[in-house]
Amino acid sequence: MATHPTQYAHPEALVETDWLEKHLKDEGIRIVESNEDVLLYDTGHIPGAVHIDWRADLQDPVIRDYISPEKFAELCSRNGITRDTTCIFYGDKANWWACYALWAFRLFGHDKVKILNGGRDKWKSEGRPMTRDVPKYPKTSYPAPKKRFDNEIRAFFDEALAQSKSGKPLVDVRSPGEYRGEITHMPEYPQEGVLRGGHIPGAKSMPWKTATNDDSTFKPASELAKIYFDQCGVGPEKDTVVYCRIGERSSHTWFVLTYLLGLNNVRNYDGSWTEWGNKVGAPIEKSA
């Protein structure tokens, strides 16, 4: 068995709360809040943070897809973000949606990205400053990305199917009940139109929050390695696909595998179960 890492592969991808409080006004950074609850930002946020709404800002309003490169450039420009800006993402639910926003930025080639370790919950629990003031930044001229990196960090249905048939690592990060097919949505959340429950054949169940501590920070590298290398069969020599319901929880796992464990062969299947569970002819397993 390969030796497990004892340190994060990219520790620079995480920012601690004490550091950020001391550097709120640094040039060259933009703090970005992205939450599941899109109204939460208005109740108070980190001073200087801009709000990116995962649905209104990152999703195409008609097509089940992300915005165009031109729309992404407009989003960055109106938030005062340049190609050289380091974006520090944070949010509720242990940074679940912050990781989704970070993954979307990476999809458009913006690679100067970090996560606030512990997110909004840790920041608030430590009594750090919050404000309702909405910052105004000079508009920039962010160039439209020449491409989206769909092939590099994103998987589509046919690729997830090929992954399943070949027996390569597939990680289902939903709740155990969703994985077993007992429910088709997260506990305490509304049903969102998936017709069938279960999981992609061959997928391993590893709920996304397994990677975090009680204070919403990420677990140490050695523990993460045991979780994903030993229990899920991922590794540097194996292409891996992660999925959930619409790709949001799995983006959190993608961040863990890519930045904290250093794998460069992980793709997020954002179509996830809302696509797979409704796809005519898609194979499904319900076993535990």
Side-chain angles (χ1 to χ4, degrees):
M1 182 180 297
T3 302
H4 285 161
T6 57
Q7 297 181 338
Y8 294 141
H10 299 286
E12 72 281 0
L14 291 180
V15 169
E16 301 301 328
T17 52
D18 57 348
W19 182 93
L20 185 58
E21 185 174 359
K22 297 172 184 175
H23 295 269
L24 291 176
K25 296 182 179 180
D26 280 13
E27 294 290 335
I29 70 168
R30 181 69 67 245
I31 305 168
V32 178
E33 179 166 325
S34 191
N35 303 308
E36 179 197 38
D37 180 355
V38 297
L39 301 178
L40 199 56
Y41 175 86
D42 293 334
T43 69
H45 47 268
I46 295 176
V50 299
H51 181 220
I52 289 186
D53 182 327
W54 66 271
R55 189 188 300 272
D57 291 329
L58 297 175
Q59 305 284 327
D60 186 279
V62 178
I63 303 169
R64 170 64 170 90
D65 203 351
Y66 297 100
I67 55 177
S68 67
E70 291 75 22
K71 291 294 185 182
F72 178 76
E74 292 176 12
L75 172 66
C76 290
S77 295
R78 70 172 179 263
N79 283 296
I81 296 170
T82 72
R83 289 286 298 170
D84 293 324
T85 302
T86 296
C87 294
I88 301 174
F89 296 87
Y90 79 98
D92 61 355
K93 303 291 179 68
N95 280 322
W96 159 8
W97 293 91
C99 287
Y100 190 42
L102 180 149
W103 179 81
F105 268 59
R106 280 292 315 276
L107 193 64
F108 289 98
H110 194 100
D111 55 8
K112 293 186 176 182
V113 293
K114 299 177 186 289
I115 287 287
L116 175 64
N117 201 14
R120 181 185 172 96
D121 293 339
K122 188 170 188 286
W123 184 274
K124 284 194 68 177
S125 71
E126 293 172 344
R128 299 185 187 275
M130 302 282 283
T131 182
R132 292 187 179 183
D133 295 338
V134 178
K136 299 293 183 182
Y137 296 107
K139 186 175 181 179
T140 64
S141 297
Y142 196 102
K146 295 181 179 179
K147 59 175 269 187
R148 279 193 328 209
F149 286 78
D150 287 340
N151 293 333
E152 291 81 0
I153 65 171
R154 189 182 186 190
F156 294 89
F157 173 83
D158 289 344
E159 294 164 327
L161 180 62
Q163 191 85 357
S164 172
K165 289 181 175 179
S166 66
K168 293 180 180 179
L170 270 166
V171 183
D172 185 319
V173 314
R174 299 173 299 161
S175 66
E178 290 173 276
Y179 177 82
R180 292 191 295 264
E182 298 165 355
I183 54 178
T184 55
H185 53 88
M186 291 176 285
E188 302 178 1
Y189 281 73
Q191 162 61 262
E192 294 182 288
V194 178
L195 297 177
R196 297 178 299 163
H199 57 268
I200 299 175
K204 298 290 181 67
S205 175
M206 189 55 66
W208 70 277
K209 209 171 183 181
T210 308
T212 63
N213 298 305
D214 292 341
D215 65 354
S216 296
T217 58
F218 292 100
K219 289 180 177 177
S222 58
E223 291 186 38
L224 295 175
K226 290 177 183 177
I227 292 168
Y228 295 103
F229 292 170
D230 293 353
Q231 299 181 52
C232 298
V234 307
E237 74 288 353
K238 303 173 184 177
D239 292 335
T240 296
V241 171
V242 295
Y243 74 94
C244 58
R245 182 181 55 92
I246 60 170
E248 79 301 18
R249 285 174 283 179
S250 49
S251 65
H252 188 277
T253 303
W254 175 88
F255 177 83
V256 169
L257 296 178
T258 301
Y259 282 96
L260 304 187
L261 291 179
L263 302 182
N264 59 8
N265 54 357
V266 183
R267 290 177 294 161
N268 186 18
Y269 171 34
D270 60 284
S272 284
W273 200 253
T274 54
E275 177 178 43
W276 195 281
N278 286 323
K279 187 82 169 179
V280 174
I284 287 177
E285 283 184 350
K286 286 179 175 282
S287 57

